[in-house]
Amino acid sequence: MASLLKRLQDSFAAPATMPSAAPIVPMHPYYPLGVEVAGYLANEWNTLELCSMFAAGCTVIFGITYALVRKLRPNASTPDLITVMWFVLCGFIHLTFEGYFAYNFRRMGGMQDLYGQLWKEYSLSDSRYLTQDAFVLCMETITAVCWGPLSFVTAGMIATDHPLRYPFQTIVSLGQLYGDVLYYATSMFDECILNVRYSRPEAAYYWGYFVLMNSFWIVIPGILIYTSVGACWRAFAALQKMEKTLKAGGANGHAKKTL
């Protein structure tokens, strides 16, 4: 009987305290903490090396574009030259860099070539690029497929002073502006409403990568849309004035014949 009572007391006794589990340390530097990044491998190049290689690539693109435009159209104005260089750079970034992401989105965490490491560096400001986010994938795919080739077409039209340069400039710039606004808006919605932040807290990543780098596709397309609308307005105004002049001249000629 005593043995039975002893067993009952032991069964109701407080369980032994288990040692507390050690805090989980994320295996990658991306936010939000604990987000899954499939197949993650740390970059082999550091930030300075990656940014230097990206800047060097942009410099080469600008240099070759400048030389070609000066050869094809020596009297091209400085604004036209700068605009051509902008669209050529956009074409390369949209078609190759963003196209690379659209093609490899499932395995971005483990990519170790130049573009892969550049994307992982940028993803410190927006981890959606490493988590197969639906919006980012769709937005980047449309950008690569549509605005990449059309950027080259637009650059060629401006370089040759083609009459369709302004319509194409407006279409591509509006597409870039629209995509970038949505890109900012979806991130801000998740941060403000859902309290989910995709950028690391360091200012260099949020303000340098996320805000500054993407702001080029807000400011420059906005300026180009403004100049395109102004050029179209002046062209149609001149056409209307010419039509009125011709009509007035025709009416005067008819009146003289009647007299």
Side-chain angles (χ1 to χ4, degrees):
M1 187 65 179
S3 175
L4 179 60
L5 291 174
K6 177 65 174 174
R7 290 179 182 177
L8 289 174
Q9 289 176 351
D10 292 342
S11 65
F12 287 106
T17 303
M18 298 295 293
S20 58
I24 299 175
V25 179
M27 301 301 292
H28 57 72
Y30 301 100
Y31 271 58
L33 293 175
V35 65
E36 182 181 357
V37 178
Y40 172 72
L41 293 174
N43 277 350
E44 297 173 351
W45 289 312
N46 60 40
T47 299
L48 180 59
E49 291 171 333
L50 289 169
C51 291
S52 298
M53 286 185 278
F54 182 78
C58 293
T59 302
V60 171
I61 292 171
F62 283 147
I64 294 174
T65 303
Y66 179 88
L68 287 175
V69 174
R70 283 304 186 195
K71 184 176 181 179
L72 292 173
R73 188 180 161 201
N75 60 341
S77 65
T78 300
D80 279 358
L81 180 59
I82 294 174
T83 305
V84 172
M85 293 168 66
W86 162 254
F87 276 112
V88 170
L89 178 65
C90 287
F92 275 105
I93 291 177
H94 294 335
L95 194 59
T96 64
F97 189 54
E98 292 171 278
Y100 172 95
F101 166 78
Y103 183 77
N104 295 292
F105 75 97
R106 287 189 178 91
R107 50 183 183 272
M108 286 302 300
M111 302 301 289
Q112 290 294 78
D113 53 21
L114 176 58
Y115 276 3
Q117 293 193 50
L118 280 170
W119 272 119
K120 285 190 287 184
E121 175 67 22
Y122 174 78
S123 295
L124 292 168
S125 71
D126 188 352
S127 64
R128 291 180 294 177
Y129 284 92
L130 301 183
T131 59
Q132 303 178 26
D133 180 83
F135 168 76
V136 168
L137 173 62
C138 294
M139 183 267 295
E140 294 292 2
T141 302
I142 293 172
T143 300
V145 173
C146 297
W147 311 136
L150 284 178
S151 291
F152 287 119
V153 173
T154 305
M157 288 184 173
I158 298 172
T160 57
D161 202 19
H162 194 279
L164 287 175
R165 53 171 291 184
Y166 287 111
F168 271 82
Q169 179 175 303
T170 303
I171 292 170
V172 176
S173 297
L174 185 59
Q176 292 173 329
L177 179 63
Y178 180 70
D180 213 16
V181 168
L182 286 180
Y183 176 68
Y184 277 134
T186 52
S187 178
M188 293 175 64
F189 177 88
D190 288 348
E191 182 174 351
C192 297
I193 305 301
L194 304 180
N195 199 28
V196 177
R197 185 181 178 91
Y198 300 111
S199 174
R200 287 189 58 83
E202 293 85 355
Y205 295 122
Y206 184 79
W207 294 105
Y209 288 177
F210 182 75
V211 175
L212 178 62
M213 296 302 294
N214 289 288
S215 66
F216 290 110
W217 280 270
I218 295 286
V219 176
I220 297 178
I223 294 173
L224 293 177
I225 292 171
Y226 176 81
T227 58
S228 296
V229 171
C232 292
W233 179 81
R234 290 190 298 272
F236 279 106
L239 179 61
Q240 289 176 350
K241 184 177 180 180
M242 184 182 297
E243 288 177 345
K244 290 179 181 179
T245 302
L246 291 174
K247 287 180 180 179
N252 291 335
H254 179 72
K256 289 180 180 179
K257 288 181 180 179
T258 303
L259 293 174

